[in-house]
Amino acid sequence: MVLRVLGAIGGGYAFTAAAVAAASAALPLVGMSRSDAVVLAATLGFVLYLLVLLWAFSVRGLVRLWVTLAGATLLATGLTFLAN
Amino acid sequence: MEPTFRKSMAWLHTWAGVVMGSVLFAMFWMGTLSVFDREIDRWMNPGTRLSATLAGQPVKLDGPITDTAMRLAQGSSQWFIRLPSERTPAVELRWRNEASKTFERRYLHPQTGAVLTHTDTLAGTGFIFPFHFNLHIKWKDLGYWLVGLAGMAMLVLVVSGVVIHRKIFVDFFLFRPRKHTQRASLDLHNLTGVLGMPFHFVMALSGLIIFVGIYWPSSYSAAYPEAKDVPAARQAFNKDGYGQYRRAKAGEPGAALASLDAMRAQARQQWQGGEANFIRVWQPGDKASYVELRRSYEDTVTMNLDQLYLDATSGQHLYSFTSAPVMTVQRFISGLHFIQFEHWLLRWLYFLAGLSGCILMATGFIFWLESRRASHAKKGLHGVRVVEALSVASVPGIMAATCVFFIANRLLPLDAVLGGYDRATLEMWAFYLAWLAALAHAGWRGRAAWREQTAALAVLAVLAVALNWVTTGQHLIHTLAGGLWAVAGMDLMLLGAAAIAAVTARHLGRKVASPLRAAAQAKTAPLPELAAAQQTAKGAGNSPRAA
């Protein structure tokens, strides 16, 4: 249960933060001002985090939870590097 | 996690509620009070209880008000003024105290510029409102992060609450107050949950969105990769997003301050009639002194970020700012949460919806406790005892502590200092000590603490009203007849709270004896413990009346 809560809250935050970073870096490429990109990405971040939390507390299997979150975090981090 | 999605959500709802319930109740309670924070300010700082007839009159800054400001803020690196509004009849003056690096505050009469008798208090806008969003825990922004976690928990609770509800429409019309506590509290939980759901969801989400600049440091780090570290990236984002202008000190004295009223006229022209209600003089007296004007959002939901910076001596334009489109949307969402616009009906609806959130939290706790009381007693578990102490301190405890805060405000002499703490800090200490005492009492008394603290709340609320009368001479008839609505409203709310608390305490007094006995019986009875408790509660709940 500790791994579940840690994975959902901590892991979920790590993934969402990475996705928010990717969006913040990518949105200016399509013409949005940098501060507005931050505001939009961060705002949507709360909704994404909510969905991730609900998923993380319902998905079966701890391995699946951790592997999915780790993979998605890596992917989002990679996108941030590409966009920068 | 559990076999079905609904069961997973039920588990999540239960535990997110139990773990975060205390913080959430504190946030809902302080947030609900913050709807009337300026009115609480009037009550706690009686010198500012000016007649409402002053509100509509135009205010001139040049002359007595500016003279007073320059005199009080002598040697300060900045001072600023908030113009009066319908809710704040006095002019608010603040300046930086260079020795203590804090901001001083005084209220001035809007027509004469006279300094009003000052009660050093953080009151509604300085204590209750910040408590709502940072719990006054400054260390490493921990308070903000706790509140953020609670905000996310609230969103999770709303969604999971909807999922576990099969009959959301039917439950809405179901309230059985005469049934035993467990059933009645669940009905009330469902009722306030369903009725308040849109409000609670929007408030939790918008509350988080207000702090876009805090909760996702990765966002500005990614958008400003050239910044050397995270704080630098945040600063760059703040400058772009919220607007900022700074001009270094020249280090030599400059000419006299130009007319602030002329600058307000200039701002009005630039904002097509929009009024500046915040005026700050940066580095007064210096050759490079400048004036910052911010536009009022009294009549719009969107809390605009319009700013105008002018040279303090020539009035020459230096910088202006208007927020970008997405930020403007963010400011609209923030405005929904902050309700800074003038609308009394909506303000009262926010207050009631906020209270419904408080009931939601409290009944959630009670349901959790009542459905486990018997079984925990039987199995020798301590969960109920611990959660009970926490929930009593979190619900009636924090309400009573808030009344102690008001009482301390009326009892402390104007020049009170104790152990190096100023008056405003002592008021805060009174609150925290009372809250701590409530927790200790709840731990000691167990279930009876619900009734005892509710009764204490009733007494304290009446005492606060009485002390307001004794210390200011302004009783209800005086304030109602004189149109001092803020003070009258606060007194009436306190009396209303006292009445509800007294009725609740009486009700608890009648009921509490029976389920306790039920729990004791369940220890020995071979029956399913819950059914036994229900039976006994039903039977005994009515008997004292009959007898």
Side-chain angles (χ1 to χ4, degrees):
Chain A
M1 195 45 73
V2 175
L3 281 175
R4 167 79 62 176
V5 174
L6 209 66
I9 297 177
Y13 179 81
F15 159 66
T16 314
V20 165
S24 304
L27 284 169
L29 300 180
V30 294
M32 193 176 269
S33 74
R34 293 202 285 179
S35 65
D36 254 12
V38 168
V39 177
L40 185 61
T43 299
L44 296 176
F46 296 113
V47 180
L48 179 63
Y49 190 29
L50 171 62
L51 295 174
V52 170
L53 284 172
L54 293 171
W55 168 81
F57 277 109
S58 60
V59 70
R60 295 185 115 177
L62 271 176
V63 178
R64 199 160 143 199
L65 168 70
W66 280 88
V67 169
T68 313
L69 282 178
T73 309
L74 274 178
L75 188 72
T77 312
L79 282 175
T80 312
F81 271 105
L82 275 181
N84 276 332
Chain B
M1 192 169 71
E2 302 280 332
T4 65
F5 182 62
R6 177 173 279 155
K7 281 197 173 139
S8 295
M9 289 298 109
W11 181 91
L12 185 57
H13 192 85
T14 304
W15 292 104
V18 170
V19 174
M20 297 310 292
S22 291
V23 181
L24 279 170
F25 188 92
M27 286 165 64
F28 264 89
W29 171 245
M30 293 299 183
T32 304
L33 295 183
S34 297
V35 170
F36 288 113
D37 55 353
R38 285 163 212 275
E39 287 69 23
I40 295 173
D41 283 0
R42 296 290 76 69
W43 194 93
M44 297 183 77
N45 197 345
T48 65
R49 296 176 184 179
L50 300 181
S51 158
T53 50
L54 277 170
Q57 295 178 25
V59 176
K60 208 168 152 323
L61 289 184
D62 300 339
I65 292 179
T66 303
D67 293 346
T68 308
M70 291 206 288
R71 179 167 53 82
L72 290 176
Q74 194 124 48
S76 173
S77 61
Q78 56 164 290
W79 56 266
F80 61 82
I81 272 173
R82 276 201 192 89
L83 288 169
S85 66
E86 197 187 338
R87 295 178 62 208
T88 314
V91 173
E92 183 187 351
L93 167 71
R94 302 199 73 182
W95 71 93
R96 202 176 127 96
N97 182 332
E98 299 301 331
S100 64
K101 299 200 187 316
T102 53
F103 279 87
E104 304 285 343
R105 187 202 312 258
R106 286 295 179 278
Y107 288 95
L108 312 183
H109 192 280
Q111 298 303 325
T112 67
V115 183
L116 301 169
T117 312
H118 190 65
T119 306
D120 183 24
T121 175
L122 291 171
T125 47
F127 178 72
I128 289 172
F129 174 54
F131 196 107
H132 168 64
F133 60 80
N134 67 18
L135 311 170
H136 288 286
I137 307 173
K138 305 259 164 60
W139 183 73
K140 286 190 187 289
D141 280 348
L142 181 68
Y144 283 101
W145 285 92
L146 264 175
V147 164
L149 189 63
M152 284 309 305
M154 187 63 202
L155 293 178
V156 165
L157 284 164
V158 171
V159 175
S160 57
V162 171
V163 171
I164 55 184
H165 253 274
R166 269 168 257 243
K167 302 175 292 180
I168 212 156
F169 190 71
V170 175
D171 277 346
F172 183 69
F173 295 99
L174 200 65
F175 181 38
R176 291 158 287 187
R178 304 257 165 244
K179 291 259 180 176
H180 57 92
T181 318
Q182 185 188 340
R183 189 66 243 174
S185 66
L186 184 60
D187 286 350
L188 199 53
H189 187 70
N190 292 341
L191 182 69
T192 48
V194 174
L195 188 68
M197 185 179 63
F199 179 81
H200 300 146
F201 192 85
V202 169
M203 283 303 120
L205 187 58
S206 59
L208 288 162
I209 290 172
I210 287 167
F211 296 114
V212 280
I214 288 190
Y215 295 130
W216 306 110
S218 65
S219 63
Y220 32 80
S221 295
Y224 295 86
E226 75 280 7
K228 66 179 196 310
D229 56 10
V230 178
R234 182 173 171 181
Q235 209 173 3
F237 160 68
N238 281 343
K239 192 168 185 288
D240 279 2
Y242 295 94
Q244 191 191 63
Y245 175 84
R246 293 288 177 272
R247 187 161 77 167
K249 255 185 166 174
E252 46 186 302
L257 178 66
S259 162
L260 290 179
D261 289 325
M263 294 186 198
R264 286 165 70 198
Q266 200 173 330
R268 198 175 302 129
Q269 200 177 11
Q270 173 158 342
W271 295 327
Q272 283 123 33
E275 286 287 334
N277 70 341
F278 175 97
I279 294 118
R280 170 152 46 191
V281 179
W282 287 91
Q283 48 220 33
D286 189 86
K287 204 178 168 189
S289 174
Y290 55 101
V291 177
E292 168 189 357
L293 298 108
R294 287 176 176 265
R295 183 174 176 176
S296 159
Y297 33 74
E298 245 173 57
D299 49 0
T300 56
V301 176
T302 307
M303 297 164 76
N304 71 72
L305 291 168
D306 294 358
Q307 295 152 57
L308 177 64
Y309 284 79
L310 304 171
D311 187 275
T313 51
S314 67
Q316 189 203 345
H317 178 270
L318 297 172
Y319 171 82
S320 28
F321 182 82
T322 308
S323 54
V326 181
M327 183 55 111
T328 307
V329 174
Q330 194 269 0
R331 298 311 290 172
F332 175 80
I333 297 171
S334 304
L336 283 180
H337 192 104
F338 279 116
I339 182 164
Q340 289 299 297
F341 49 94
E342 299 301 343
H343 197 300
W344 287 107
L345 177 62
L346 262 178
R347 192 164 292 284
W348 278 102
L349 287 175
Y350 267 59
F351 184 71
L352 291 176
L355 285 180
S356 85
C358 294
I359 297 173
L360 186 66
M361 300 300 151
T363 48
F365 267 132
I366 294 169
F367 178 70
W368 189 92
L369 290 168
E370 293 307 318
S371 47
R372 277 160 190 78
R373 190 179 300 283
S375 71
H376 275 206
K378 198 175 169 190
K379 293 180 200 151
L381 291 172
H382 297 292
V384 164
R385 229 191 132 70
V386 173
V387 174
E388 181 132 66
L390 280 175
S391 47
V392 171
S394 319
V395 181
I398 199 173
M399 296 164 122
T402 308
C403 285
V404 170
F405 179 61
F406 297 147
I407 288 168
N409 169 266
R410 292 293 80 231
L411 284 181
L412 285 170
L414 283 181
D415 53 357
V417 182
L418 189 71
Y421 292 109
D422 59 14
R423 194 183 179 289
T425 313
L426 293 177
E427 282 182 7
M428 277 171 63
W429 275 113
F431 170 84
Y432 286 116
L433 288 177
W435 202 13
L436 209 60
L439 181 63
H441 172 259
W444 168 48
R445 296 287 291 157
R447 198 175 188 200
W450 283 102
R451 185 182 77 251
E452 289 163 7
Q453 293 199 16
T454 309
L457 169 63
V459 174
L460 291 168
V462 173
L463 188 60
V465 175
L467 283 171
N468 175 47
W469 179 3
V470 172
T471 54
T472 67
Q474 295 180 337
H475 51 78
L476 258 174
I477 299 166
H478 174 97
T479 50
L480 282 172
L484 294 173
W485 303 120
V487 183
M490 172 94 171
D491 275 352
L492 283 172
M493 283 301 107
L494 280 167
L495 291 176
I500 294 170
V503 171
T504 310
R506 208 175 110 86
H507 184 72
L508 286 171
R510 265 191 293 140
K511 273 199 163 172
V512 82
S514 53
L516 265 187
R517 215 181 309 138
Q521 278 179 5
K523 263 187 177 168
T524 49
L527 286 164
E529 58 283 353
L530 205 62
Q534 286 171 2
Q535 289 300 324
T536 327
K538 244 189 233 168
N542 301 324
S543 56
R545 279 246 124 160

